[in-house]
Amino acid sequence: MQAKRQLQHLKPYKPGKNVEDVQEELGLTKIVKLASNENPFGCSEAVKRAIEKEMSELAVYPDGYATVLREKTAHFLNVGTENLIFGDGSDEVIQMICRAYLTADDNTVMAAPTFPQYKHNAVVEGAEIREVPVRDGRHDLERMIEAIDEKTKIVWLCMVNNPSGEYIRDKELASFLSQVPEKVLVVCDEAYYEYVVADDYPDTLSFMNEHRNLVITRTFSKAYGLAALRVGYGIANTSVIAAIESVRQPFNTSRIGQLAAAAALEDQPFIDHCRKLNREGLEKFYRFCRRHELTYYPSQGNFILIDFARSGDEIYDYLLRKGYIVRSGTALGYPNAVRITIGSEDENDDIIEHLQHYFQHQTQ
Ligand code: PMP
C-alpha cells in the first residue's frame, strides 16, 4: 500500500538524544541535556501546586475549548477569546495552519535554515516549498517578498530564528507586512518571545489590527518550562482562527496542560527571573567565544549557535563524553557549528570549562 507520494522522502522529526540512552551508552552517571532549548530552571512552583489538585480528574476528558486558559491568556494579551487557538505545543498549531490552508496547488515561503516543522508539515500537504537562504542567520525579507507569487498561501517568519538565535527588527517587520499581499498568511513564530530583550524586537500583536493576515504562534514549552505538557497557541483574527479551529482535534490539549499553562501565565516574576539568568548565561558564552575568536550569532533565544570552524559533530561528541548533550549543527544546516541551550549557571560554567580544555588540548 502506497502512502501519499510526498511522504516518500520525508523523514520523521529526529529529536536530540535522550538522557537515558546516552547514560547507558557511555556509562556516565550525570548527563545534562542542553539540546532542545528547554528551561533549565524547570517551571513555576505555582504550576506544581495547581496540577496536584487535578490528579483526581484524570478519567474525565478535558475542556476541548480550553475555556479557563483561553480567558486568562486573552486577558493577559489583551486580545479577544475568539482570537486564540490552543495546540498540543505550537508544533500542532503549525500543523493545523498547514492543514487548514495548504493544498498541492499552493506554495509556501520560508527561510533556510529555520525551524524544520514549517517545511515538514507543508510537504505533508503536498505544497511547493520555497526556501530563501538566511543572511548571517537573519531572514532575507527582500528575497522572501520576491519569492511570493499568486500561488503563495503562507510565509513563515521565525521571529527568533531557530537555530541562529537572530531576530527580525520592528521596522523590517512593518515594511515586510506592508508588502505582502493581504491574501497571504504571515505566520510569526514567537516560540522564544519571553526570552527576548532587544529594544527593536517588534510588538507583533500591535500589527494585528492593520494586518488581518497575521498569525502569531507562542508556546508554554520554553520560558514557561512546560515542554512535557505540550501547550502552545496561535493568535489571529477571528476568521483565520475559525478556519484553523475546523481542523483541530476535539481534545487536543490535556486537562493538566491547560491548568498548568494557566497557572504559569500568572507567575510572571518567574519568567522575568529566567529571562535575566538566560541573558547572563548568554553573555558568558559570548565572552568565551570572543576569547577563542569563535564566530557566534548574538541570540534573543535561550540557545546559542557557535561556529567552531571544524565539524560540529566533533564538538558534539566531545561534549557528549563529558556528559552534555548539545545539538550538532550538521542536522541544522550549519555543519561547522553546535547549538547549545543556555543552562543553569553551573552548567554553563562547566560546559565552557570543558570547551576551554578542548581548545587548550588542540593547540598544544
Ligand atoms: N517554533 C520554534 C522556533 C521552536 O524552536 C520550537 C521548539 N523547538 C517550536 C516552535 C515548537 O515548540 P512546542 O511545540 O513545544 O511549542
Side-chain angles (χ1 to χ4, degrees):
M1 226 152 4
Q2 189 99 69
K4 285 182 182 178
R5 192 163 45 87
Q6 63 265 32
L7 302 191
Q8 280 167 20
H9 303 289
L10 199 64
K11 293 193 183 74
Y13 178 74
K14 198 166 164 265
K17 282 203 177 218
N18 76 40
V19 171
E20 293 75 19
D21 289 350
V22 174
Q23 227 156 3
E24 204 179 321
E25 220 174 282
L26 300 177
L28 293 164
T29 46
K30 186 180 159 241
I31 302 272
V32 179
K33 182 171 164 243
L34 296 175
S36 302
N37 305 340
E38 291 138 338
N39 187 340
F41 308 107
C43 67
S44 159
E45 287 302 316
V47 167
K48 297 177 193 165
R49 287 193 294 272
I51 60 182
E52 253 167 43
K53 291 194 211 128
E54 198 64 6
M55 291 307 174
S56 55
E57 301 297 329
L58 297 186
V60 184
Y61 278 111
D63 167 8
Y65 198 58
T67 310
V68 173
L69 174 61
R70 178 179 298 272
E71 281 167 359
K72 285 213 166 129
T73 310
H75 182 254
F76 180 70
L77 299 174
N78 198 20
V79 300
T81 48
E82 68 288 1
N83 294 119
L84 295 170
I85 182 156
F86 291 89
D88 188 24
S90 53
D91 274 343
E92 198 206 8
V93 180
I94 293 165
Q95 182 191 47
M96 291 189 286
I97 295 169
C98 291
R99 188 110 201 258
Y101 282 89
L102 295 178
T103 72
D105 286 336
D106 306 315
N107 71 57
T108 179
V109 175
M110 63 196 72
T114 192
F115 185 55
Q117 290 304 298
Y118 319 139
K119 180 173 179 176
H120 184 98
N121 286 292
V123 168
V124 173
E125 303 304 333
E128 181 204 335
I129 313 297
R130 297 192 169 178
E131 293 178 289
V132 177
V134 293
R135 292 167 138 215
D136 295 329
R138 290 172 67 174
H139 285 47
D140 186 343
L141 295 172
E142 270 174 39
R143 284 206 46 216
M144 289 179 81
I145 290 282
E146 284 164 20
I148 296 172
D149 64 15
E150 68 286 351
K151 290 199 164 184
T152 305
K153 270 282 178 66
I154 308 176
V155 181
W156 303 90
L157 301 181
C158 197
M159 298 298 290
V160 171
N161 196 30
N162 179 1
S164 71
E166 263 290 2
Y167 69 106
I168 294 172
R169 276 61 173 169
D170 50 7
K171 287 203 176 74
E172 292 173 337
L173 181 68
S175 155
F176 183 80
L177 288 172
S178 70
Q179 293 173 74
V180 176
E182 241 171 78
K183 65 179 183 59
V184 177
L185 222 53
V186 177
V187 180
C188 290
D189 180 339
E190 296 199 299
Y192 299 97
Y193 174 77
E194 293 78 10
Y195 284 114
V196 170
V197 297
D199 290 338
D200 57 354
Y201 182 89
D203 174 6
T204 44
L205 279 173
S206 72
F207 289 95
M208 270 185 49
N209 273 346
E210 203 187 328
H211 299 282
R212 304 193 49 81
N213 53 342
L214 182 61
V215 183
I216 297 162
T217 61
R218 292 188 188 167
T219 184
F220 287 95
S221 299
K222 304 298 177 184
Y224 287 101
L226 299 178
L229 295 179
R230 315 300 302 126
V231 186
Y233 58 99
I235 316 159
N237 89 62
T238 49
S239 64
V240 173
I241 292 293
I244 308 171
E245 272 289 340
S246 62
V247 301
R248 185 176 64 75
Q249 295 288 331
F251 305 109
N252 65 330
T253 53
S254 69
R255 288 185 87 89
I256 294 183
Q258 291 177 24
L259 208 81
L265 206 54
E266 287 188 350
D267 191 354
Q268 289 301 314
F270 175 77
I271 298 296
D272 296 340
H273 181 63
C274 293
R275 182 190 304 112
K276 180 172 166 286
L277 295 181
N278 180 64
R279 201 40 43 196
E280 287 168 8
L282 270 168
E283 296 290 344
K284 269 192 189 162
F285 278 99
Y286 293 170
R287 286 196 291 276
F288 159 78
C289 289
R290 285 190 216 112
R291 249 192 329 270
H292 293 276
E293 296 178 351
L294 297 170
T295 307
Y296 65 93
Y297 293 85
S299 175
Q300 291 299 317
N302 65 339
F303 55 90
I304 182 166
L305 187 68
I306 304 175
D307 188 329
F308 285 92
R310 71 194 69 205
S311 161
D313 286 351
E314 195 180 309
I315 306 287
Y316 165 86
D317 281 336
Y318 170 79
L319 288 175
L320 195 63
R321 273 157 222 292
K322 303 293 174 197
Y324 285 93
I325 311 175
V326 297
R327 203 76 201 258
S328 167
T330 315
L332 303 174
Y334 293 90
N336 284 344
V338 166
R339 191 193 68 193
I340 303 173
T341 302
I342 307 305
S344 66
E345 192 179 354
D346 287 350
E347 290 161 358
N348 298 333
D349 288 346
D350 196 36
I351 206 168
I352 286 173
E353 208 177 301
H354 286 307
L355 287 167
Q356 230 82 274
H357 273 130
Y358 177 87
F359 281 107
Q360 272 154 15
H361 186 73
Q362 292 287 309
T363 48
Q364 267 165 19

